[in-house]
Amino acid sequence: MNFKELSIQCRTYRRFSQKPVDPAILQELMENVRIVSSAMNGQVLRYVLVKDPALVKKLQPAIHWAAALPKELGTPKEGEQPTAFILVCKEGRGNPWDDIDAGIAVRNIALNACAYGIGSAILGAVEWNRVKDILSVPESWNPRLLMALGYPSCESHIVDVPENGSIKYFLDENKNYCVPKRALKDICLVK
């Protein structure tokens, strides 16, 4: 698949089949994120790969999913939940660009996963202290983002922004995600 196809297919997913992600793929994701660009080569990001089914299940109540959707539609139910997580942390004080590094890292993971047909969701509405306790995260590691991973059990489509201008994502009649994106002419000046 070419990069444009990968970018179109790499959407946020919130419902997953319960097929576990191959451990070799998870290892590849971690190896590839290890070598991504880092501001000033500071390498302050740390990761916790969560693939143990009991721990994955234990994390579910600490996550607040899909603020634009009603909870009963946006939160994955039992049998739809992700099968793995990657917790992205910053160690210590870091530098002013650490959140940019975190963004680069999670996009790398999402694209790499998508190339294998694995869906992801980058999550920030998380009860971090609870997650740190569940995973016994070192005190100096400060959680920034949580990535949910699994094989999607739904579809996610890019759609045009409707006439009312709303960019809120929504579910169609088949409960597939529709994500309005602005036209290029509306977001880019060419000089």
Side-chain angles (χ1 to χ4, degrees):
M1 135 178 20
N2 67 39
F3 190 76
K4 182 175 182 179
E5 291 167 340
L6 185 61
S7 296
I8 290 169
Q9 190 174 335
C10 189
R11 313 272 20 110
T12 297
Y13 294 93
R14 295 173 190 86
R15 292 194 318 271
F16 304 91
S17 78
Q18 297 306 286
K19 175 184 171 186
V21 177
D22 183 327
I25 294 172
L26 292 172
Q27 184 64 35
E28 178 183 317
L29 298 181
M30 298 315 302
E31 181 59 33
N32 288 339
V33 77
R34 178 187 72 80
I35 60 173
V36 296
S37 299
S38 171
M40 302 185 318
N41 201 31
Q43 301 179 51
V44 299
L45 297 181
R46 302 292 181 264
Y47 306 92
V48 179
L49 173 60
V50 184
K51 57 185 181 176
D52 176 86
L55 285 175
V56 168
K57 184 177 179 106
K58 204 169 181 182
L59 288 175
Q60 304 294 340
I63 302 165
H64 305 282
W65 293 80
L69 296 173
K71 187 173 182 170
E72 69 276 4
L73 297 175
T75 300
K77 296 170 182 49
E78 187 80 31
E80 299 177 332
Q81 296 169 333
T83 58
F85 287 103
I86 299 173
L87 177 63
V88 180
C89 301
K90 175 175 82 171
E91 184 173 35
R93 292 189 59 203
N95 64 56
W97 301 281
D98 295 341
D99 286 337
I100 294 169
D101 284 356
I104 292 168
V106 294
R107 187 60 176 163
N108 180 282
I109 294 167
L111 287 166
N112 194 170
C114 184
Y116 286 102
I118 298 164
S120 63
I122 301 167
L123 306 163
V126 177
E127 297 173 29
W128 297 121
N129 289 334
R130 194 169 172 187
V131 168
K132 280 184 83 166
D133 288 343
I134 291 167
L135 299 177
S136 301
V137 174
E139 188 60 35
S140 64
W141 291 21
N142 301 305
R144 304 303 302 145
L145 295 168
L146 182 66
M147 287 200 69
L149 297 166
Y151 293 95
S153 64
C154 61
E155 296 176 9
S156 186
H157 304 281
I158 295 173
V159 298
D160 293 333
V161 173
E163 285 186 27
N164 69 8
S166 175
I167 57 170
K168 283 191 172 187
Y169 52 87
F170 58 93
L171 298 177
D172 67 13
E173 63 279 354
N174 297 315
K175 294 191 177 177
N176 290 315
Y177 294 95
C178 297
V179 185
K181 294 292 182 181
R182 292 185 172 101
L184 184 59
K185 68 178 179 52
D186 296 332
I187 65 163
C188 178
L189 294 175
V190 179
K191 301 285 183 174

